[in-house]
Amino acid sequence: MSNLVYFIHTAILMIIQLLLLDNIQVSSYVYLNIYVLAILMAPDEFSDTFVLLMAFVLGVIVDFANNTMGIHTAAATLMAYFRPMILEAVSVRQNNPIKTALRASNTTWLAKYIALTSVIYFVSFIMLETFSFKAFHITLLRIVFSTVASFVIMMLYYFTAIRSSSRHE
């Protein structure tokens, strides 16, 4: 995926997040966050520092739009920090893991990658929002439901938009 196509997908994901998903109330147990896919699909040419900065900026934009005072920023930046370690841990091939996943039909690798990073994102996001261990079972349910729902939406977007645009390059 070229850098231009990547930034177009990032803009689309932010529009979907801010105009659609932030206005859908599925349940008090479920948060739908698709914008984190932009951080996960950052091209290999981007340095880890740039991806961290981009995660910070995207988080600030979502926080500003939702008036959530830094929760998205902290969770997105933490996820971006762990991104290289998770890429290395689940990578099938050492060279260009993102490009390999986008061009190959290895959806198991991509599913592991998105699931692990989503867990990091939602554990930090929901724990920061709750800021308590009271009713931890409810907090744990919110983490699980939000992770699963967002994972499904991210995989749907990947298969309908990103993968189809990668095949045409």
Side-chain angles (χ1 to χ4, degrees):
M1 172 173 16
S2 72
N3 290 348
L4 177 63
V5 172
Y6 168 74
F7 284 116
I8 290 170
H9 280 295
T10 300
I12 292 168
L13 287 168
M14 289 300 288
I15 289 168
I16 291 170
Q17 181 68 48
L18 297 174
L19 297 180
L20 183 65
L21 296 180
D22 284 349
N23 295 313
I24 295 175
Q25 179 74 32
V26 177
S27 165
S28 62
Y29 291 104
V30 179
Y31 289 103
L32 300 173
N33 288 320
I34 194 172
Y35 79 97
V36 296
L37 188 61
I39 300 161
L40 301 179
M41 293 294 122
D44 298 329
E45 296 86 34
F46 292 176
S47 69
D48 293 340
T49 306
F50 181 76
V51 174
L52 274 170
L53 181 62
M54 191 178 67
F56 179 84
V57 169
L58 293 177
V60 166
I61 292 168
V62 174
D63 277 330
F64 182 74
N66 294 327
N67 198 22
T68 49
M69 299 178 14
I71 296 172
H72 287 278
T73 304
T77 305
L78 182 69
M79 184 191 67
Y81 175 78
F82 282 108
R83 178 183 174 265
M85 293 170 245
I86 292 172
L87 275 172
E88 193 173 311
V90 300
S91 180
V92 180
R93 299 181 186 123
Q94 290 303 108
N95 58 343
N96 296 331
I98 290 289
K99 286 183 182 174
T100 302
L102 291 176
R103 299 204 187 278
S105 60
N106 189 353
T107 55
T108 306
W109 177 91
L110 186 72
K112 286 181 197 173
Y113 171 57
I114 291 175
L116 287 171
T117 51
S118 294
V119 167
I120 290 171
Y121 176 84
F122 281 108
V123 165
S124 59
F125 177 80
I126 293 172
M127 290 303 292
L128 283 170
E129 183 198 44
T130 307
F131 212 69
S132 171
F133 287 106
K134 258 188 204 174
F136 186 73
H137 61 288
I138 302 291
T139 303
L140 191 59
L141 279 175
R142 291 174 67 201
I143 291 169
V144 170
F145 290 158
S146 297
T147 301
V148 170
S150 293
F151 172 81
V152 169
I153 290 173
M154 284 188 262
M155 291 300 281
L156 284 172
Y157 184 84
Y158 171 78
F159 284 115
T160 58
I162 295 176
R163 190 167 183 183
S164 63
S165 72
S166 297
R167 286 184 178 163
H168 291 54
E169 288 183 1

